[in-house]
Amino acid sequence: MAVVEYEPGAAFPGVIGRTAEESMPAWPAPVRARAGAPNVLFIVLDDTGFGQLGCYGSPIQTPSFDALAADGLRYSNMHTTALCSPSRSCILTGRNHHSNAMACITELASGYPGYNGVVPFENGFLSEMLVEHGYSTFMVGKYHLTPSNQETAAGPYDRWPLGRGFQRFYGFLGGDTSQWYPDLVYDNHQVEPPRTPEEGYHLSEDLVDKAMQFVADAKQVDPAKPFYLHLCFGATHAPHHVPKEWADRYAGVFDDGWDAYREKVFARQKELGIVPADAQLSRHDPDVPDWASLPPAARRLYSRMMEVFAGFLTHADHQVGRLVEFLRQMGELDNTLIMVISDNGASAEGGPTGTTNEAQFFNNAQEPVEESLKLIDEIGGPKHFNHYPWGWTWAGNTPFRRWKRETYRGGASDPFIVCWPQKIKARGQIRTQYAHIIDMVPTVLDLLGIEPPKTIRGVTQSPLHGVSFAHTLEDAEAESNRHTQYFEMLGHRAIYHEGWRAVCPWPGPSFAEAGKPFGQPISSGTLSELDATGWELYHVAEDFAENHNVAADHRDRLIAMIGTWYVEAGKYGVMPVDGSGLARMIAEKPLVAVPRDSYTYRPGTQSIPFFAGPRVLNRPHSITAEVDIPVGGAEGVLLCQGTAAGGYSFFIKDGKLRYVHNYVGRAVYGVESREVLLPGKRVLRFEFEPTGQPDMQHGKGAPGRLQLYVDGTLAGNAEAPVTTPFVLNPGALTCGANPGSAVTDDYASPFKFTGTIHAVTVDVSGELIRDNEAELRVHMARQ
């Protein structure tokens, strides 16, 4: 007898008698997608600028993205929020970032509805929408949408990916991670990478491996069930990590510098039709030196940094090619709707001179060019946390001005590719219609024939803010459905309206012209002054790269657009306008746990993010381990925090108790016990006693005395002339092992302790010395 099904909530259509013999069964119908429903694949790149993909005019080789563009469409007028977490919230919800409470990155949340970093459940994710229509839903890669104070094993987990409609997750929760030794989470628990860099591991490859596994797992059971895969690479966010042979492909390619890069890319963009034939290249940025003015050593270093970046992007592109070929072999590619986007423009977090190790940049301990040159052959490898200088950022956003974090087009305009072989006939064409990433969700729903849900898991849903651009897929001349779009990022404001764009830069059009760095607060008086005189106006329908400020000639239009910006700001929760960075970071926030002086850890538990661990820098502190050492001895890490880029480790090796402090990857200071440890129960203790004040301005943490105690008896004594002043980044703390990159060359990771650890306690009684501005730089660089 055929199975009888009924919709959940409907009356039972079977028969219930006194016995099964007198009855007829019926079953609640499972959720199934409509026949022929397409798969959906979002590929989100990180910090990839408008002029960095090959199909957008770059000399960087991206054959896989180029092939998707050739089989689909490239959009030249797609816009983002100019920052990571805000953009990612828009891509997933179809609502504006302030309405998602994601005005900035989660780490800089503040206590206002548009700013608190907690995406409301009434703003449903695309994953939550599609899972209710019979889709398998997979999140792979960078997430960065969980409130930063909820990224620990203490939870709560309802705003982790599995709490927002994704059935499987593999990736990292924060803003950045090492590509060689990533901070990985599998579903709701922390895991270690399956291989080491020496065994060929790289995160981009791992993410695609897992994406293919998730798809294959589901398809082998139910081939007809469509999937939604949200694939977010760490590439091309810093650290720019890639196997050397991929960077070496670009040897010499960038030796003529960033000025030449812009000229060549701009010419190619015109050939491709990505920019209008009459477009003008934006001005030379005042914050970027002329390439020819740099000394030869600096040019050599910066060229290599760009070679590494280019290799990083090409390597990620290769992984995309693997995924596409996998879908083709499965017979799934033709009916897969693919959208490729970057979250914002190219990143300026490398500073004016770039860095081989962001930990040095964060700690005011930047090495001179001569020292960086000694490492030039290692840049991009596991020992470094590198990022290119501002000049390449500016060039990466060709033809636009400025970069990520700012609402000029360089920060908010990005490559966007749509490919659906079975449906898109206008292949290889370019679309110029204005669009914003909030339009992606409504376009997908439109193409799938799905209405936005009224409720999700009992929560009434807010209206979508985006509008569909599905009608433009086959009609290059179609009018855009989006006529107005506001922008705000850290006080930098803009608004688009029907071919015009008004921009109010903060602190100014450039740092050099403003005479102020990023992150300055805006007073009420300053805001009034900005509204009176700080807005610029560009007719972007004719002035593609925002070169000609016509505010003086169209004063009435500008005033109307400023008024419209305030209307949109009121509608979407943008107020209050806040240009500050430091104030947001140090503002009181709900904490993972109440601050305390004593922290106890045990082996086998998850690593602790830096913000949730004890603050030991520049203050008296102790680490006490209660252990059992077997006959024959033991070795391994008792407690460590950080990586080869900087950190500390408390461990046993060759029978002796040891401690090392890695000062931003430039020096290691340590102490070891005079005697070999005896077997049995032991109380092992390290103490740090500052012997002077830190010199924060010059990147030097407090000098101090390093002391080891065994069962209360002094067993070793040494001095550290300098320690890390501000922050350990990466800064995860682990008990019983050193996963990832080893803090010291004294051992190879993970160097798990071979005895028994009962507990390790960190005591941080004492005065805490902090530099909030340095910590702000860390959070902003992790976007």
Side-chain angles (χ1 to χ4, degrees):
M1 184 173 63
V3 172
V4 176
E5 297 180 347
Y6 62 98
E7 293 299 318
F12 178 70
V15 176
I16 299 177
R18 293 181 305 156
T19 67
E21 181 182 30
E22 301 171 297
S23 304
M24 184 182 72
W27 299 84
V31 176
R32 296 189 184 96
R34 65 173 175 80
N39 307 307
V40 178
L41 169 59
F42 280 6
I43 300 174
V44 183
L45 293 170
D46 202 329
D47 291 359
T48 304
F50 189 87
Q52 290 181 325
L53 295 183
C55 53
Y56 277 76
S58 172
I60 300 174
Q61 298 166 20
T62 54
S64 301
F65 289 124
D66 299 353
L68 292 174
D71 277 347
L73 304 168
R74 281 166 291 169
Y75 282 72
S76 63
N77 217 354
M78 172 58 81
H79 294 77
T80 68
T81 70
L83 203 63
C84 169
S85 300
S87 288
R88 290 164 192 271
S89 75
C90 296
I91 291 169
L92 278 166
T93 68
R95 283 90 166 183
N96 282 305
H97 59 300
H98 293 87
S99 296
N100 290 327
M102 203 62 72
C104 192
I105 57 173
T106 59
E107 292 84 354
L108 268 66
S110 56
Y112 303 102
Y115 292 72
N116 62 36
V118 182
V119 182
F121 291 122
E122 56 264 31
N123 290 5
F125 282 20
L126 181 59
S127 48
E128 295 172 303
M129 302 175 198
L130 295 187
V131 78
E132 293 189 353
H133 286 269
Y135 274 71
S136 298
T137 54
F138 311 129
M139 167 74 214
V140 178
K142 173 176 173 176
Y143 190 58
H144 209 194
L145 289 174
T146 300
S148 60
N149 61 355
Q150 297 179 17
E151 289 179 8
T152 74
Y157 291 91
D158 53 354
R159 284 185 168 84
W160 288 38
L162 268 58
R164 295 305 309 250
F166 289 107
Q167 297 166 322
R168 306 294 300 276
F169 171 60
Y170 184 82
F172 56 103
L173 294 175
D176 71 356
T177 195
S178 168
Q179 303 292 301
W180 301 112
Y181 298 107
D183 301 316
L184 287 175
V185 171
Y186 197 153
D187 292 337
N188 275 0
H189 65 281
Q190 190 178 86
V191 296
E192 292 302 314
R195 299 185 306 282
T196 66
E198 294 75 21
E199 295 169 328
Y201 181 83
H202 190 281
L203 178 59
S204 295
E205 181 178 351
D206 188 19
L207 295 179
V208 169
D209 286 347
K210 198 61 67 177
M212 294 189 296
Q213 178 190 328
F214 285 173
V215 171
D217 283 347
K219 286 290 185 179
Q220 68 184 356
V221 175
D222 189 351
K225 187 175 186 179
F227 65 80
Y228 165 44
L229 170 60
H230 196 73
L231 175 60
C232 301
F233 286 97
T236 52
H237 195 291
H240 301 157
H241 280 164
V242 72
K244 187 174 183 294
E245 59 269 22
W246 289 83
D248 288 348
R249 295 183 181 192
Y250 292 95
V253 170
F254 306 107
D255 285 357
D256 52 359
W258 40 66
D259 301 284
Y261 178 101
R262 294 184 82 234
E263 294 289 346
K264 288 186 288 189
V265 169
F266 185 55
R268 179 62 177 151
Q269 287 173 335
K270 286 192 172 184
E271 291 175 14
L272 294 171
I274 289 293
V275 305
D278 60 352
Q280 297 175 326
L281 188 61
S282 62
R283 66 175 185 165
H284 192 289
D285 195 285
D287 290 330
V288 175
D290 291 338
W291 182 260
S293 71
L294 297 170
R299 292 202 297 266
R300 181 182 167 212
L301 176 64
Y302 300 161
S303 292
R304 182 56 180 174
M305 288 178 167
M306 185 58 182
E307 291 167 11
V308 169
F309 172 87
F312 188 25
L313 179 53
T314 299
H315 180 263
D317 175 270
H318 178 72
Q319 310 312 318
V320 170
R322 292 175 53 229
L323 175 61
V324 170
E325 182 58 28
F326 166 78
L327 295 176
R328 180 180 286 112
Q329 291 180 4
M330 290 189 71
E332 297 290 341
L333 181 62
D334 282 352
N335 197 27
T336 298
L337 169 60
I338 303 173
M339 293 185 176
V340 179
I341 188 69
S342 175
D343 58 357
N344 43 245
S347 165
E349 269 87 39
T353 61
T355 181
T356 64
N357 180 359
E358 280 188 337
Q360 296 175 2
F361 174 72
F362 302 145
N363 287 287
N364 282 349
Q366 182 65 37
E367 62 194 6
V369 169
E370 294 75 20
E371 292 298 314
S372 297
L373 280 168
K374 295 177 183 177
L375 306 173
I376 193 167
D377 291 332
E378 299 178 4
I379 295 174
K383 291 185 177 180
H384 305 289
F385 223 78
N386 47 289
H387 193 304
Y388 58 27
W390 281 350
W392 291 121
T393 310
W394 168 61
N397 293 323
T398 302
F400 304 122
R401 58 165 65 192
R402 300 304 282 173
W403 42 59
K404 171 184 176 180
R405 296 196 309 221
E406 301 183 15
T407 65
Y408 284 117
R409 292 203 66 185
S413 293
D414 280 281
F416 180 62
I417 299 168
V418 181
C419 180
W420 188 4
Q422 185 170 297
K423 292 293 185 180
I424 297 177
K425 307 305 179 187
R427 299 187 178 184
Q429 295 185 11
I430 292 169
R431 293 291 180 263
T432 60
Q433 290 90 349
Y434 189 92
H436 189 274
I437 47 174
I438 58 173
D439 300 330
M440 293 171 65
V441 165
T443 300
V444 169
L445 296 180
D446 189 1
L447 292 170
L448 270 55
I450 294 174
E451 290 293 324
K454 292 182 171 56
T455 64
I456 292 177
R457 293 197 292 271
V459 178
T460 300
Q461 294 296 287
S462 66
L464 297 181
H465 302 155
V467 293
S468 174
F469 54 81
H471 65 296
T472 69
L473 298 185
E474 295 300 334
D475 187 356
E477 303 304 319
E479 292 292 325
S480 172
N481 287 335
R482 175 153 299 287
H483 304 289
T484 303
Q485 178 61 42
Y486 84 92
F487 298 82
E488 189 280 332
M489 188 53 60
L490 294 151
H492 205 289
R493 295 176 289 160
I495 186 163
Y496 168 87
H497 183 67
E498 295 185 344
W500 294 79
R501 203 164 188 273
V503 184
C504 187
W506 178 254
S510 69
F511 302 138
E513 291 164 307
K516 300 175 183 176
F518 151 82
Q520 301 300 302
I522 298 175
S523 67
S524 58
T526 299
L527 184 62
S528 297
E529 183 179 345
L530 286 170
D531 284 339
T533 62
W535 286 85
E536 303 164 0
L537 181 64
Y538 301 96
H539 192 190
V540 288
E542 299 178 358
D543 180 14
F544 188 74
E546 296 178 325
N547 285 310
H548 303 289
N549 178 11
V550 294
D553 301 327
H554 297 273
R555 186 68 181 167
D556 290 346
R557 180 184 295 274
L558 177 61
I559 291 171
M561 290 184 70
I562 296 171
T564 302
W565 186 91
Y566 273 99
V567 170
E568 299 294 289
K571 188 186 305 181
Y572 297 116
V574 181
M575 307 308 285
V577 176
D578 187 357
S580 66
L582 177 60
R584 295 195 204 187
M585 189 197 70
I586 65 176
E588 292 293 330
K589 302 178 180 68
L591 299 174
V592 176
V594 176
R596 57 195 189 275
D597 290 338
S598 181
Y599 297 74
T600 299
Y601 302 103
R602 290 175 174 80
T605 54
Q606 294 191 19
S607 297
I608 308 298
F610 181 81
F611 66 85
R615 298 300 181 95
V616 300
L617 301 179
N618 303 308
R619 67 192 298 184
H621 64 272
S622 66
I623 305 172
T624 303
E626 300 173 28
V627 305
D628 281 337
I629 299 177
V631 175
E635 67 173 8
V637 170
L638 303 169
L639 191 77
C640 73
Q641 186 172 22
T643 66
Y648 64 84
S649 183
F650 187 37
F651 62 100
I652 297 174
K653 185 181 179 185
D654 298 330
K656 294 186 176 182
L657 183 62
R658 304 185 181 202
Y659 172 91
V660 298
H661 184 98
N662 180 334
Y663 170 63
V664 298
R666 295 174 64 180
V668 176
Y669 305 105
V671 60
E672 68 176 46
S673 63
R674 292 181 286 269
E675 305 292 338
V676 171
L677 298 173
L678 296 176
K681 291 185 180 295
R682 295 283 170 260
V683 177
L684 310 177
R685 182 179 178 89
F686 164 75
E687 288 189 357
F688 177 78
E689 180 183 354
T691 56
Q693 292 298 312
D695 182 359
M696 302 291 203
Q697 184 177 356
H698 297 97
K700 296 180 180 180
R705 188 169 295 113
L706 313 177
Q707 296 182 322
L708 297 176
Y709 292 84
V710 177
D711 297 331
T713 300
L714 183 66
N717 191 30
E719 299 287 330
V722 62
T723 57
T724 304
F726 300 134
V727 68
L728 304 176
N729 184 53
L733 180 147
T734 307
C735 179
N738 184 166
S741 139
V743 172
T744 171
D745 292 336
D746 289 337
Y747 56 75
S749 63
F751 203 46
K752 293 183 178 180
F753 187 63
T754 57
T756 301
I757 298 175
H758 297 290
V760 178
T761 300
V762 180
D763 185 281
V764 291
S765 302
E767 192 67 27
L768 175 61
I769 301 174
R770 298 175 61 178
D771 186 290
N772 293 320
E773 292 188 8
E775 294 189 22
L776 170 64
R777 291 198 297 271
V778 173
H779 287 311
M780 291 308 301
R782 298 190 72 240
Q783 303 161 53

